[in-house]
């Protein structure tokens, strides 16, 4: 019997919120599998969502920025699971249609629908409006993430007698656009204000000191909702037969790297939670090698016993769950749009990033020439506070990473570009690590127990 599959998808959740504020997610990760270094292929809403639906890069689908529509010929997870006899359902934020409400032909093949293209504009914290299959507005009672979790429980109950694939797309912990605020449930902001501040935000300032209480309050309520969903599966005797994946579209740097919250090359924008439990993942431990959320669609199909389509550019990381020594790329490739036209790779140790200088980041999806802009040594500078690009002490490392970036750009289906070195800078001559370990990185930190190598 094929497993049921649920994707719990949050918006703008930092990777380092997993742990003390998310006991249900932490328990799920310890019981199942956690990718400790999970990177989005694009740190902005629509491109990340298109990638997660199709397993293809944003530049391949054409959704390289917000406001682009997912082409109707693109095959999504709903198409693949639906063709295998699954009941398919979508609940929450879509952001791939360009119009509200979302017409049936722009819903990516999902049969059951209770969503909004831009949930942040159709709702607020205690007024959640989505649209059903007939495009009639539906007001869901309760705090927004609770209301959507309740709808997910109803979907599971309605389809408990057949295999189902549900994509639950929540808005939290995204800000409320018109107020630039993080409205948590009553009392949650006060409970979490001043409790924790990531080192990058503490060092760089931004808006985190004003918003972190509400942000963490939203994360806490999300985690409580996840616990209720898992409890509902247990009560219906479905928990052991259901794959549950939890991840986010991108992170949040709280206006420390540019004038808003994402669209940068830093882990605060790129790195997200990724944990799975259920058949194929229980007892999997920690995957310490970097993976992309682009790899999640083929992984879910693979775990359900379905063929992975050749057009998917991600690859199943199920072999890594079974054997940490399985063949796997040393780097993850990512793109940046809207703020700039950027391309980068992230290894266990290094972050390397280049930008197309002068390119229009709204209309230009890719370029034929980039210049190195950032190089971070994540072993010694995990919060990316010291940019090493342009220093002679790291020129050899940069050159090797530059070649790898070009190869990954071509592998993603783009034309081979020229990537120029950064403008040389003086004053930082450092001893280099042994060449044998230069491109290797530190072991990841995982909550709960020691990770596998």
């Amino acid at each position: 019997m094929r497993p049921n599959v649920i994707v719990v998808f949050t918006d703008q959740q930092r990777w380092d919120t997993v742990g003390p504020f998310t006991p249900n997610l932490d328990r799920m990760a310890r019981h199942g599998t956690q990718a400790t270094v999970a990177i989005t292929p694009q740190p902005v809403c629509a491109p990340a969502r298109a990638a997660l639906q199709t397993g293809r890069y944003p530049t391949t689908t054409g959704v390289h920025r917000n406001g682009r529509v997912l082409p109707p010929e693109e095959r999504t997870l709903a198409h693949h699971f639906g063709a295998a006899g699954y009941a398919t359902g979508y609940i929450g934020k879509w952001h791939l249609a360009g119009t509200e409400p979302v017409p049936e032909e722009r819903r990516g093949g999902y049969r059951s629908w209770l969503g909004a293209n831009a949930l942040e504009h159709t709702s607020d914290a205690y007024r959640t409006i989505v649209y059903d299959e007939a495009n009639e507005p539906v007001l869901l009672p309760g705090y927004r993430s609770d209301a959507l979790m309740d709808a997910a429980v109803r979907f599971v109950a309605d389809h408990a007698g057949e295999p189902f694939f549900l994509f639950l797309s929540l808005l939290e912990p995204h800000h409320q656009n018109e107020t630039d605020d993080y409205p948590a449930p009553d009392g949650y902001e006060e409970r979490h204000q001043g409790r924790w501040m990531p080192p990058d935000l503490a060092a760089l300032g931004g808006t985190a000191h004003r918003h972190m209480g509400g942000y963490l309050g939203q994360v806490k309520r999300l985690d409580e909702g996840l616990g209720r969903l898992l409890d509902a599966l247990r009560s219906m005797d479905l928990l052991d037969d259901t794959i549950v994946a939890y991840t986010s579209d991108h992170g949040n740097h709280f206006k420390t790297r540019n004038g808003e919250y994402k669209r940068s090359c830093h882990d605060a924008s790129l790195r997200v939670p990724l944990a799975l439990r259920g058949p194929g993942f229980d007892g999997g431990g920690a995957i310490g090698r970097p993976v992309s959320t682009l790899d999640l669609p083929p992984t879910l199909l693979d775990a359900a016993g379905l063929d992975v389509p050749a057009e998917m550019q991600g690859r199943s990381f199920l072999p890594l769950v079974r054997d940490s020594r399985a063949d796997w790329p040393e780097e993850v490739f990512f793109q940046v749009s809207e703020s700039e036209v950027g391309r980068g790779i992230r290894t266990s140790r290094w972050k390397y990033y280049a930008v197309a200088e002068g390119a229009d980041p709204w209309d230009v999806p890719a370029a034929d020439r980039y210049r190195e802009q950032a190089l971070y040594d994540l072993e010694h500078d995990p919060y990316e506070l010291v940019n090493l690009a342009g220093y002679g002490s790291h020129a050899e490392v940069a050159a090797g990473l530059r070649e790898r970036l070009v190869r990954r750009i071509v592998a993603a289906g783009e034309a081979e570009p020229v990537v120029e070195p950064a403008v040389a800078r003086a004053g930082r001559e450092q001893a280099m690590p042994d060449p044998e370990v230069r491109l290797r990185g530190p072991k990841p930190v995982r909550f709960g127990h020691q990770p596998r190598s």
Side-chain angles (χ1 to χ4, degrees):
M1 180 178 176
R2 285 179 174 155
N4 308 307
V5 180
I6 300 175
V7 178
V8 179
F9 191 56
T10 64
D11 195 328
Q12 210 163 273
Q13 185 175 357
R14 289 175 62 104
W15 67 275
D16 48 10
T17 57
V18 180
F21 306 105
T22 58
N24 292 299
L25 178 56
D26 187 46
R27 190 179 307 112
M28 178 174 132
R30 286 187 283 110
H31 178 85
T33 298
Q34 180 185 8
T36 59
V37 183
I39 304 296
T40 182
Q42 255 259 35
V44 65
C45 282
R49 291 161 188 276
L52 201 59
Q53 291 298 325
T54 64
R56 288 151 61 81
Y57 284 106
T59 48
T60 303
T61 65
V63 188
H64 69 275
R65 61 163 170 82
N66 285 340
R68 303 277 293 185
V69 174
L70 185 67
E73 63 270 18
E74 286 291 334
R75 302 280 290 174
T76 69
L77 283 169
H79 290 118
H80 300 306
F81 279 106
Y86 279 68
T88 60
Y90 197 93
I91 297 172
K93 178 178 174 178
W94 180 241
H95 213 165
L96 294 172
T99 186
E100 198 80 81
V102 178
E104 183 177 1
E105 64 272 15
R106 293 190 181 181
R107 296 176 190 163
Y110 286 91
R111 297 171 188 165
S112 176
W113 183 265
L114 196 61
N117 190 59
L119 188 62
E120 58 267 52
H121 298 307
T122 69
S123 67
D124 58 34
Y126 281 97
R127 187 173 181 270
T128 305
I129 295 178
V130 289
Y131 297 88
D132 62 16
E133 290 92 346
N135 274 337
E136 293 296 324
V138 179
L139 175 63
L140 300 178
Y143 180 73
R144 184 166 42 204
S145 64
D146 292 345
L148 295 174
M149 284 286 185
D150 290 344
V153 171
R154 287 193 294 271
F155 176 90
V156 170
D158 289 345
H159 297 87
E162 59 183 328
F164 60 81
F165 169 67
L166 173 63
F167 201 102
L168 171 60
S169 178
L170 301 138
L171 181 63
E172 281 73 21
H174 194 283
H175 56 286
Q176 190 68 36
N177 289 50
E178 68 272 16
T179 59
D180 190 26
D181 194 17
Y182 293 79
D186 291 348
Y188 278 62
E189 178 178 356
E190 297 83 350
R191 194 180 310 162
H192 291 88
Q193 189 66 28
R195 287 189 59 189
W196 174 72
M197 187 65 64
D200 58 320
L201 304 183
L204 299 174
T207 63
H209 292 82
R210 176 161 58 96
H211 288 318
M212 189 55 69
Y215 183 80
L216 290 178
Q218 290 184 340
V219 168
K220 179 64 174 178
R221 190 68 159 231
L222 285 168
D223 187 69
E224 292 170 350
L226 174 65
R228 288 194 298 109
L229 177 61
L230 296 175
D231 282 347
L233 290 169
R234 181 178 288 110
S235 74
M236 289 181 272
D237 201 25
L238 295 174
L239 187 60
D240 292 337
D241 301 319
T242 303
I243 295 169
V244 180
Y246 185 107
T247 192
S248 193
D249 55 352
H250 52 75
N252 191 340
H253 63 66
F254 288 94
K255 300 186 179 182
T256 55
R257 304 296 187 169
N258 54 41
E260 42 83 58
Y261 296 109
K262 53 260 188 185
R263 300 178 181 90
S264 82
C265 72
H266 306 90
D267 271 15
S269 293
L270 293 165
R271 194 171 171 186
V272 294
L274 178 56
L276 305 97
R277 62 149 299 151
F281 300 100
D282 288 345
I287 297 173
R289 295 155 79 177
V291 302
S292 172
T293 53
L294 189 78
D295 301 319
L296 185 57
T299 301
L300 295 175
L301 293 174
D302 189 15
L306 305 181
D307 293 335
V308 176
E311 64 267 21
M312 282 193 172
Q313 294 172 294
R315 59 186 291 182
S316 170
F317 56 75
L318 202 56
L320 281 179
V321 178
R322 298 167 178 155
D323 182 0
S324 62
R325 297 164 297 181
D327 179 52
W328 192 257
E330 291 299 316
E331 73 281 327
V332 168
F333 171 66
F334 63 90
Q335 306 168 332
V336 176
S337 70
E338 298 193 14
S339 61
E340 56 201 11
V341 180
R343 298 292 184 269
I345 55 174
R346 206 265 197 210
T347 73
S348 292
R349 176 165 184 177
W350 301 102
K351 172 78 63 61
Y352 181 83
Y353 182 63
V355 170
E357 298 172 317
D360 184 337
W362 188 254
D363 292 327
V364 176
D368 58 7
R369 185 173 294 272
Y370 297 85
R371 183 177 295 279
E372 175 185 313
Q373 187 184 78
L375 173 66
Y376 293 104
D377 181 349
L378 301 172
E379 180 176 350
H380 298 102
D381 179 26
Y383 288 94
E384 298 168 310
L385 300 176
V386 180
N387 185 358
L388 300 170
Y391 288 117
S393 57
H394 288 73
E396 186 178 347
V397 168
L401 292 167
R402 191 177 308 124
E403 292 178 3
R404 292 163 71 170
L405 173 60
V406 170
R407 288 198 296 269
R408 290 304 300 263
I409 290 174
V410 172
E414 302 179 49
E416 182 174 339
V418 173
V419 179
E420 299 177 347
V423 176
R425 294 189 286 177
R428 190 180 182 87
E429 295 301 324
Q430 296 183 349
M432 290 300 298
D434 186 276
E436 296 270 331
V437 299
R438 204 169 279 166
L439 295 180
R440 285 192 247 149
K443 293 183 178 180
V445 174
R446 185 185 179 203
F447 294 100
H449 58 74
Q450 292 294 315
R452 300 182 333 201
S453 60

